[in-house]
Amino acid sequence: LVQLVESGGGSVQAGGSLRLSCAASGYNARNKCMTWWRQRPGKEREEVAAIYSGGGYTKYADSVKGRFTISQDNAKNTMYLQMNSLKPEDTAMYYCAADREYHDYIGCVGPSTYWGQGTQVTVSS
């Protein structure tokens, strides 16, 4: 049974930082992509950042570039999202997802097979 468990969410003031973790069990991310998504109130779910387990590839939404950093510890089977300079518009439920395909020159493609339950991030002004 594959399980993805997010943690690290919480409430923070604008300008603050949080680090989200996504611990995977029953899953080997080898040669696959993992992704952070978020769903803001009243908005559609959006991709925040993606990372290829084989190394050398990350992708960020324009809205978080320069503020968020995605990383992965393959030994711990855990993905992270370091979020700095948080803004009220970053308030959302954050989800991790796994098992997208990776293709050279294209990046992470296709749907994710596995999803976590989400962790809430609230940024106050």
Side-chain angles (χ1 to χ4, degrees):
L1 176 64
V2 174
Q3 284 190 309
L4 303 178
V5 179
E6 302 96 334
S7 61
S11 296
V12 65
Q13 288 193 325
S17 298
L18 286 171
R19 188 174 85 151
L20 305 184
S21 299
C22 172
S25 60
Y27 177 73
N28 187 338
R30 185 174 181 175
N31 297 327
K32 292 293 181 74
C33 289
M34 294 187 73
T35 311
W36 285 102
W37 294 76
R38 69 183 180 187
Q39 187 158 22
R40 293 183 278 185
K43 304 287 186 180
E44 292 188 356
R45 188 175 59 190
E46 60 179 335
E47 181 179 332
V48 176
I51 187 167
Y52 170 53
S53 64
Y57 177 86
T58 57
K59 181 182 177 183
Y60 297 92
D62 288 343
S63 58
V64 306
K65 278 181 183 175
R67 300 189 298 121
F68 290 12
T69 303
I70 189 171
S71 62
Q72 192 171 24
D73 185 333
N74 289 332
K76 295 182 178 180
N77 232 10
T78 302
M79 177 177 65
Y80 304 97
L81 186 68
Q82 178 66 44
M83 306 187 295
N84 298 329
S85 303
L86 282 161
K87 304 176 181 180
E89 50 264 43
D90 294 318
T91 294
M93 184 71 80
Y94 285 73
Y95 300 90
C96 69
D99 211 43
R100 294 176 77 186
E101 297 294 328
Y102 174 80
H103 294 277
D104 289 337
Y105 309 113
I106 300 175
C108 301
V109 298
S112 295
T113 305
Y114 307 107
W115 291 82
Q117 293 300 307
T119 185
Q120 177 68 37
V121 171
T122 302
V123 185
S124 57
S125 57

